[in-house]
Amino acid sequence: MKFDPKKLNALSVRLHGKHIGVINRLAGDRQLFAFEQDYIDDEKRPTLSLSFKGSTGGLVTQTRPTVRRVPPFFSNLLPEGHLRDYLAKRADVNSEREFFLLAVLGADLPGALVVAPFEREAQRAGAHHDNEHDEDDHGHGGEEPLRFSLAGVQLKFSAVMEASGGLTIAADGMGGSWIVKLPSARHQAVPENELAMLELARRAGISVPENKLVDIAGIKGLPEQAHTVESKALAVQRFDRLPNGEPVHMEDFAQVFGQFPNDKYKHRSYANIAAVLWAESGEESTYEFVRRLVFSVLIGNADMHLKNWSLLYPDRRKPVLSPAYDFVATLPYIPGDTLGLSFGDSRSLSEITPDQMRRFADTARIPASPLWQIAVETAERTVAAWKTLEQADVLPKDLRASIEKQILAVAATVK
Ligand SMILES: Nc1ncnc2c1ncn2[C@@H]1O[C@H](COP(=O)(O)OP(=O)(O)O)[C@@H](O)[C@H]1O
Ligand SMILES: [Mg+2]
């Protein structure tokens, strides 16, 4: 559907194909989200976000307007940085104007959400279907806008994996059950690094999505500007899409805590995440979280902020911890960096201590007893797996040496 986003004042929010609420654009560039009564009254309603769950378990329907940005839950569906600038430019929308950006990108969002022009508004904005040929609709530089959104900073696209194993990105960017993450312009061999760390994590007992390195030159439909000096990208299977394309709902922990993406390193700690997992998802998700946290220190991953942890809603109501993603050994790129959030009052990437783990458990109000054992097992398995990891062969020599040094140094503290 094509329309002029700047003519819109209301966006329909659809969860699993059903209209559940409206984002209104008010005077003074304020935006306000409100649930529909049907959704409020539905006792079996699919969960949109834990941030709308009240202390007694009911739906929080009182919402506050936000200025310029869309409310935090929706703001977190939009990309940041480089990816945002790129998609905004193609759509000919100011990248700061989140309401308009969401109007353009809302057709294919993370999880089971679609945000689209609210019906009674669509006509006024000149919405019509693509097959009605219209020369004036082209965005900046004669390019069509892309109509998908993924979070994060790094350039990435959603892609279809063909039976032949090749990847294709649709002309409008929509659809597909794989994410292609392109290399960084700043840091060397990030796709190779992430591939190796995901495989190492898998062997340490952590749940990770299918992934592989792909030749960028072989990706069909990749926009011209996305071509880079490095030749490989990382393809990761989407856990918020079933193989038949049906969406599985998800939210990240910035959404859970109602914080804007800007604040992804702030206000909360890993214990806060663990407390939510313990209460909402149970023991298994919580222990898996601890495994990943320990693994992140072992590999020197300083970037595990609130948006790098997500909940999935496979039964549409109850959350489980999603498979892991964005596992990159970042210390070799930024030496001396520290953990993205506080872990038992420490942000150290040089060690993990029993005291630290106890403080973490106390703050999260979870039993401390199995946690140290989980840490020891994770360290042992990581060290053992590293020694035989063929995927480490794709790493530049100095990067590989630096990761090895980090793993062994931290593992020596977890005994
Ligand atoms: N395998 C996946 N399935 C579904 N969503 C994913 C997957 N991997 C990442 N995402 C989503 O895409 C966002 C960006 O991916 P991420 O790997 O974190 O990239 P970046 O390096 O740009 O932060 C994540 O915050 C998450 O919401
Ligand atoms: Mg990320």
Side-chain angles (χ1 to χ4, degrees):
M1 198 143 67
K2 289 174 180 174
F3 51 85
D4 180 356
K6 290 163 208 154
K7 290 191 180 144
L8 295 171
N9 290 316
L11 296 174
S12 159
V13 175
R14 296 180 202 153
L15 180 59
H16 294 290
K18 199 163 170 246
H19 171 76
I20 64 157
V22 180
I23 306 172
N24 282 297
R25 191 160 70 89
L26 313 173
D29 204 8
R30 287 173 313 142
Q31 347 278 329
L32 184 66
F33 171 68
F35 285 111
E36 287 295 348
Q37 197 59 45
D38 278 5
Y39 180 77
I40 297 171
D41 294 340
D42 180 2
E43 280 174 15
K44 296 215 162 68
R45 62 179 165 263
T47 308
L48 176 64
S49 166
L50 289 182
S51 61
F52 295 110
K53 183 173 175 177
S55 49
T56 52
L59 188 71
V60 175
T61 54
Q62 197 79 13
T63 53
R64 273 181 297 169
T66 47
V67 180
R68 198 154 242 247
R69 295 182 286 195
V70 288
F73 177 83
F74 299 99
S75 185
N76 275 293
L77 299 168
L78 295 170
E80 304 162 77
H82 190 32
L83 179 59
R84 176 186 294 220
D85 292 341
Y86 172 71
L87 293 177
K89 188 162 180 235
R90 286 219 21 181
D92 199 16
V93 168
N94 179 333
S95 68
E96 306 275 304
R97 305 302 295 267
E98 295 197 335
F99 182 91
F100 301 135
L101 203 53
L102 192 57
V104 179
L105 308 180
D108 190 356
L109 295 170
L113 277 174
V114 168
V115 172
F118 196 36
E119 254 172 48
R120 62 165 186 254
E121 285 256 307
Q123 208 126 23
R124 217 163 41 76
H128 58 258
H129 288 277
D130 283 353
N131 51 9
E132 294 170 36
H133 190 68
D134 189 342
E135 293 293 337
D136 296 334
D137 266 348
H138 289 225
H140 221 57
E143 277 181 319
E144 293 286 334
L146 295 170
R147 299 207 178 274
F148 81 98
S149 179
L150 286 165
V153 176
Q154 205 54 39
L155 261 200
K156 61 179 79 62
F157 297 90
S158 190
V160 175
M161 177 81 74
E162 311 292 353
S164 61
L167 288 169
T168 301
I169 298 165
D172 57 10
M174 290 176 61
S177 55
W178 286 72
I179 294 174
V180 187
K181 293 182 72 177
L182 291 162
S184 156
R186 239 185 317 156
H187 303 305
Q188 195 194 8
V190 175
E192 289 81 357
N193 183 332
E194 189 168 350
L195 176 96
M197 293 307 104
L198 284 172
E199 190 49 36
L200 185 63
R202 185 200 308 282
R203 297 188 192 183
I206 291 167
S207 161
V208 300
E210 281 304 307
N211 60 88
K212 59 181 195 169
L213 278 182
V214 294
D215 282 324
I216 293 174
I219 303 172
K220 294 201 190 90
L222 186 71
E224 199 54 42
Q225 305 90 313
H227 286 270
T228 52
V229 274
E230 289 190 16
S231 64
K232 305 270 188 190
L234 182 75
V236 191
Q237 190 164 30
R238 291 185 70 155
F239 43 69
D240 65 337
R241 298 287 181 267
L242 296 176
N244 66 8
E246 200 186 306
V248 179
H249 191 50
M250 71 166 178
E251 65 171 326
D252 66 38
F253 272 85
Q255 292 174 299
V256 170
F257 294 130
Q259 294 186 191
F260 283 108
N262 267 349
D263 292 337
K264 64 192 174 187
Y265 296 100
K266 294 187 193 151
H267 311 311
R268 308 284 164 151
S269 67
Y270 293 121
N272 297 139
I273 297 179
V276 171
L277 289 171
W278 185 258
E280 302 291 340
S281 310
E283 208 172 82
E284 205 175 307
S285 283
T286 312
Y287 295 158
E288 170 74 3
F289 174 73
V290 173
R291 235 172 266 134
R292 292 183 201 174
L293 191 50
V294 169
F295 182 80
S296 299
V297 182
L298 281 164
I299 65 166
N301 181 358
D303 205 35
M304 293 308 284
H305 51 68
L306 294 173
K307 294 187 70 61
N308 277 336
W309 304 94
S310 287
L311 296 174
L312 272 185
Y313 292 89
D315 73 358
R316 301 195 174 188
R317 286 180 56 86
K318 189 174 147 53
V320 297
L321 185 63
S322 83
Y325 57 93
D326 218 1
F327 274 178
V328 179
T330 65
L331 270 192
Y333 305 124
I334 308 166
D337 204 3
T338 54
L339 264 176
L341 298 169
S342 167
F343 172 19
D345 295 335
S346 163
R347 288 191 188 235
S348 171
L349 280 171
S350 352
E351 61 170 7
I352 304 172
T353 68
D355 263 357
Q356 175 188 3
M357 193 64 100
R358 212 168 301 122
R359 282 193 299 270
F360 163 81
D362 287 350
T363 311
R365 294 166 177 267
I366 60 180
S369 54
L371 303 189
W372 190 250
Q373 192 50 36
I374 292 172
V376 171
E377 271 168 30
T378 304
E380 283 171 0
R381 290 183 73 169
T382 303
V383 169
W386 173 258
K387 289 180 182 151
T388 56
L389 189 74
E390 313 90 70
Q391 282 78 3
D393 296 345
V394 298
L395 299 174
K397 232 169 109 199
D398 49 344
L399 185 59
R400 183 178 183 159
S402 163
I403 294 173
E404 174 156 319
K405 200 168 151 221
Q406 170 70 18
I407 292 175
L408 297 181
V410 175
T413 71
V414 189
K415 292 210 172 326

